[in-house]
Amino acid sequence: MNRIFNDPDLVVEDMLRGWLQVHSDLVAAAENRRVVRHVRAPIAGKVGVVTGGGSGHEPAFLGYVGDGLVDAVAVGEIFSSPTAKSFFDAFKAADAGKGVACLYGNYAGDNMNVKMAMKMAEKEGIRVRTVVANDDVPSAPRSDREKRRGVAGEILMWKVGGARAAMGGSLDEVITAAQKAIDSCRSIGIGLSACTIPAVGKPNFEIKDGEMEVGIGHHGEPGIKVVKTTSANAMADLMLETVLPDLPFEAGMEVAVLLSGLGATPIMELYILQARVAEILASRGIQISRHFVGNYFTSLDMMGVTLTVMKLDDELKACLAYPCRSVGMTVEG
Amino acid sequence: MNRIFNDPDLVVEDMLRGWLQVHSDLVAAAENRRVVRHVRAPIAGKVGVVTGGGSGHEPAFLGYVGDGLVDAVAVGEIFSSPTAKSFFDAFKAADAGKGVACLYGNYAGDNMNVKMAMKMAEKEGIRVRTVVANDDVPSAPRSDREKRRGVAGEILMWKVGGARAAMGGSLDEVITAAQKAIDSCRSIGIGLSACTIPAVGKPNFEIKDGEMEVGIGHHGEPGIKVVKTTSANAMADLMLETVLPDLPFEAGMEVAVLLSGLGATPIMELYILQARVAEILASRGIQISRHFVGNYFTSLDMMGVTLTVMKLDDELKACLAYPCRSVGMTVEG
């Protein structure tokens, strides 16, 4: 394992030290060192937007703290939920008295810790409502959508919720918009190589040379099938075959597409894949009105991608177009 | 080799197809399909800024075409120089009658092709001047600085030259600023794993597990030594020991620091390294006034980093702070 760290048990602390220095114009540490907040949070007159999750997914989660996006983030260990206390402290860091929208992904640890944090918040009179992202199609059948994991669709949920809050929306309005955002997203990942947590020192799952795992999760959760590696075009076909019928996405719709590398995939390869995704969507009469291609939500050094397609309406389009500034995403006004 | 491509000989074409679609607000293809130009190039009243180089380094080179940056880029095959014709066509795409600053890296193929392209340009009455980046300290001794390769310092050279041109500078002023920029930069790379060109199918050099190559080039050019892998802190020390004495960087100076991943390095590890870089510079009385941490100049799926330190004066600071917008770098006004 040739990697860059000091004490393998302190990678998150060491990363945060660098992150807070480099991005001191944008973010600051809260009193709880596992909470990163917008440098001006709580922002007066605005609903607070909070998220949180395990580390190792950078620029998610902390990279989406910024103007028009997230106000505070609870930072977990690598691939582990932040504590309930950290979620609670993130609520406190974000709350300006108009309530907090906690927009996070559907994982057991996060669900449990957010629930506990909400009880703590209730005692202090902080109003918190949640939206739980479940955009990952392969992780459960359509009939059990509430069991699906959240993957890169979370970014579009934060973008929409963050914009709605920045526009002056009430807590109910932010929650409704964020819920609509994630309900309009469908995602799938393909893994081409495993990833290694520094403190473990070897991959905790395996992807063989010449094979790829379709439907893999952000932490190596098993996919729906392991198949021989194919061309980029066949990969795009395979992903869209799963994603498109699920909403379903149909002719005449407008969509946003987010294609994220999982960490070790060369940038050029994301664009090779995107070219085919665009071709298929066009052939189906589906119009892409916004593209995001890059390393938006990674899994350490995993090779592979996630594809997210989001159905748009006027409100979602306006929210995606609303200016934001953060490490992970900047949209200019 | 688990990677994402179709025909391995057409990876550049396939990437460009995706890139031009996704970034159609910013860039367009020239008549020569191996030239990507700013969507408004040539931009009236402005010196044209051109670069070019091999593919596989994304977001370099084409990702730096944008407002306040590069106007046109010549696109080569993977790790290969663009043709003389492509450099010439990039000059034509960028020239608005005020001349062209061609700011590129010191590689034999690029030197030869730029020279030929300049002869073609001369015949058509296009005035071209060049700055050749040579910021890579380990690639030749200090006494032979003109033999050194260009690495990620090129990005800061484009940023400064691009800003000077956008501010309305003459060709001479743009060249002088870009030359000062690269003369003020010193860089070093460390490789932690080799990279694989899809059409080759296996790495054309080797880095063993448990070892790292100090001073490695962007295409796997041999470094100055192969050593056992160390802690992130020791890596930072090793890089700064080579870089700082070379300019030399001394107490009281202000600098910019650019830490770029080589493609497969997790984002979090760049920040772990950056924390130590900042600590050492502070201890030496050197003030970092601008940070760039991320995948700015990659080498396919190579694991590793390059560190660039740039000495600043008022002109360089103003140029780095000048607004720009591109895929690879955005600085807000």
Side-chain angles (χ1 to χ4, degrees):
Chain A
M1 180 190 48
N2 289 359
R3 297 273 290 280
I4 306 173
F5 59 88
N6 295 301
D7 183 334
D9 293 324
L10 296 177
V11 289
V12 177
E13 276 66 27
D14 284 354
M15 168 187 71
L16 287 174
R17 207 154 44 96
W19 191 283
L20 292 165
Q21 272 171 355
V22 169
H23 303 298
S24 59
D25 59 323
L26 200 62
V27 295
E31 198 178 324
N32 175 342
R33 301 292 300 182
R34 288 307 183 92
V35 172
V36 172
R37 63 176 179 83
H38 190 293
V39 75
R40 293 194 315 276
I43 300 173
K46 194 181 84 66
V47 167
V49 178
V50 164
T51 189
S55 294
H57 300 299
E58 291 69 30
F61 295 78
L62 75 171
Y64 297 95
V65 177
D67 299 332
L69 270 163
V70 172
D71 296 294
V73 64
V75 178
E77 285 300 307
I78 290 200
F79 293 0
S80 301
S81 174
T83 62
K85 176 71 164 56
S86 292
F87 273 112
F88 171 56
D89 288 335
F91 298 161
K92 285 201 291 188
D95 183 44
K98 294 199 68 177
V100 171
C102 180
L103 314 177
Y104 71 101
N106 189 24
Y107 295 88
D110 296 313
N111 285 323
M112 183 182 73
N113 289 320
V114 167
K115 194 172 282 184
M116 286 168 60
M118 286 175 76
K119 285 189 186 157
M120 300 179 199
E122 200 182 349
K123 282 187 198 158
E124 297 221 2
I126 300 172
R127 200 156 48 108
V128 181
R129 290 191 60 195
T130 61
V131 179
V132 185
N134 56 355
D135 52 307
D136 184 47
V137 173
S139 53
R142 198 167 168 222
S143 52
D144 273 339
R145 203 161 78 79
E146 76 285 356
K147 290 189 183 158
R148 288 179 175 172
R149 297 183 293 257
V151 285
E154 293 183 41
I155 293 165
L156 300 178
M157 170 180 73
W158 302 327
K159 177 72 189 83
V160 168
R164 208 72 192 74
M167 289 170 186
S170 68
L171 180 56
D172 285 354
E173 286 167 338
V174 171
I175 290 292
T176 303
Q179 187 68 55
K180 188 205 279 182
I182 203 67
D183 285 343
S184 305
C185 283
R186 294 295 184 275
S187 302
I188 182 173
I190 292 187
L192 291 165
S193 79
C195 59
T196 298
I197 298 174
V200 176
K202 57 181 192 332
N204 51 352
F205 62 102
E206 191 193 15
I207 296 176
K208 289 187 182 136
D209 195 43
E211 289 182 355
M212 60 188 194
E213 187 151 349
V214 179
I216 197 164
H218 269 163
H219 317 93
E221 294 93 336
I224 42 177
K225 55 185 172 183
V226 173
V227 298
K228 296 245 174 283
T229 50
T230 63
S231 68
N233 286 353
M235 281 178 73
D237 296 352
L238 197 57
M239 291 195 290
L240 286 169
E241 269 165 30
T242 304
V243 160
L244 295 184
D246 196 82
L247 188 76
F249 295 91
E250 290 166 342
M253 284 184 180
E254 262 187 89
V255 298
V257 171
L258 190 160
L259 192 62
S260 178
L262 287 177
T265 299
I267 299 291
M268 78 180 306
E269 298 180 14
L270 300 177
Y271 286 92
I272 292 173
L273 204 54
Q274 173 66 25
R276 176 65 167 192
V277 168
E279 195 173 271
I280 300 173
L281 292 177
S283 75
R284 302 270 188 108
I286 298 167
Q287 187 198 332
I288 305 179
S289 54
R290 202 166 272 270
H291 300 86
F292 302 93
V293 178
N295 287 315
Y296 285 95
F297 204 132
T298 65
S299 293
L300 294 172
D301 59 329
M302 204 189 298
M303 203 168 263
V305 293
T306 59
L307 171 70
T308 301
V309 184
M310 180 193 219
K311 179 187 167 185
L312 298 178
D313 63 11
D314 288 345
E315 182 189 19
L316 294 178
K317 276 167 71 176
C319 287
L320 292 186
Y322 195 84
C324 69
R325 183 173 73 100
S326 70
V327 178
M329 182 184 289
T330 291
V331 172
E332 297 206 340
Chain B
M1 180 189 48
N2 288 0
R3 297 274 290 280
I4 306 173
F5 59 89
N6 295 301
D7 183 333
D9 293 323
L10 295 177
V11 289
V12 176
E13 276 66 28
D14 285 353
M15 167 187 71
L16 286 174
R17 208 154 44 95
W19 190 283
L20 292 165
Q21 273 170 354
V22 170
H23 303 297
S24 60
D25 59 321
L26 200 62
V27 295
E31 199 178 324
N32 175 343
R33 300 293 299 183
R34 288 306 183 91
V35 172
V36 172
R37 62 177 180 83
H38 191 293
V39 75
R40 293 194 316 277
I43 300 173
K46 195 180 85 64
V47 167
V49 177
V50 165
T51 190
S55 294
H57 300 299
E58 292 69 32
F61 295 79
L62 74 172
Y64 296 95
V65 177
D67 299 332
L69 269 164
V70 172
D71 296 294
V73 65
V75 179
E77 285 300 307
I78 289 199
F79 293 179
S80 301
S81 175
T83 61
K85 177 70 164 56
S86 292
F87 273 113
F88 171 55
D89 287 336
F91 298 161
K92 285 200 293 189
D95 183 44
K98 295 200 67 178
V100 171
C102 179
L103 314 177
Y104 71 101
N106 189 25
Y107 295 89
D110 296 313
N111 284 324
M112 185 182 72
N113 289 320
V114 168
K115 194 173 282 184
M116 287 168 60
M118 286 175 77
K119 284 187 184 157
M120 300 178 198
E122 200 183 347
K123 282 186 196 157
E124 298 219 4
I126 300 173
R127 200 156 48 108
V128 181
R129 289 189 61 193
T130 61
V131 177
V132 185
N134 56 356
D135 52 306
D136 184 47
V137 173
S139 53
R142 199 169 169 222
S143 51
D144 273 339
R145 203 162 78 81
E146 77 284 355
K147 291 190 183 159
R148 289 178 175 173
R149 296 183 294 258
V151 286
E154 293 183 42
I155 293 165
L156 301 178
M157 170 180 73
W158 301 328
K159 176 74 189 81
V160 168
R164 209 71 193 74
M167 289 171 187
S170 67
L171 181 54
D172 285 354
E173 286 167 339
V174 172
I175 290 292
T176 302
Q179 186 68 55
K180 188 206 278 182
I182 203 68
D183 286 342
S184 305
C185 283
R186 294 294 184 277
S187 301
I188 183 172
I190 292 187
L192 290 165
S193 79
C195 60
T196 298
I197 299 173
V200 176
K202 57 180 192 326
N204 51 351
F205 62 102
E206 191 193 15
I207 296 175
K208 289 186 182 137
D209 196 44
E211 289 182 354
M212 61 187 192
E213 186 150 349
V214 179
I216 198 164
H218 270 163
H219 316 93
E221 295 92 336
I224 41 177
K225 55 185 173 184
V226 173
V227 299
K228 296 243 175 282
T229 50
T230 62
S231 68
N233 287 352
M235 281 179 73
D237 296 352
L238 198 56
M239 290 195 290
L240 286 169
E241 269 166 28
T242 303
V243 160
L244 295 185
D246 195 83
L247 189 77
F249 295 91
E250 290 166 341
M253 283 184 182
E254 261 187 89
V255 298
V257 170
L258 190 161
L259 193 63
S260 177
L262 287 176
T265 299
I267 299 291
M268 79 181 306
E269 298 180 14
L270 300 178
Y271 285 92
I272 291 173
L273 204 54
Q274 174 65 25
R276 176 63 168 193
V277 168
E279 194 173 272
I280 300 173
L281 291 177
S283 75
R284 301 273 188 107
I286 298 167
Q287 186 198 332
I288 306 179
S289 54
R290 201 165 273 270
H291 299 86
F292 302 94
V293 178
N295 287 315
Y296 284 95
F297 204 133
T298 67
S299 293
L300 294 171
D301 59 329
M302 203 190 297
M303 203 168 263
V305 293
T306 59
L307 171 69
T308 301
V309 185
M310 181 194 218
K311 178 188 168 185
L312 298 177
D313 63 12
D314 287 345
E315 182 188 20
L316 294 178
K317 277 168 71 176
C319 287
L320 291 186
Y322 195 83
C324 68
R325 184 172 73 99
S326 70
V327 178
M329 181 185 289
T330 291
V331 172
E332 297 207 339

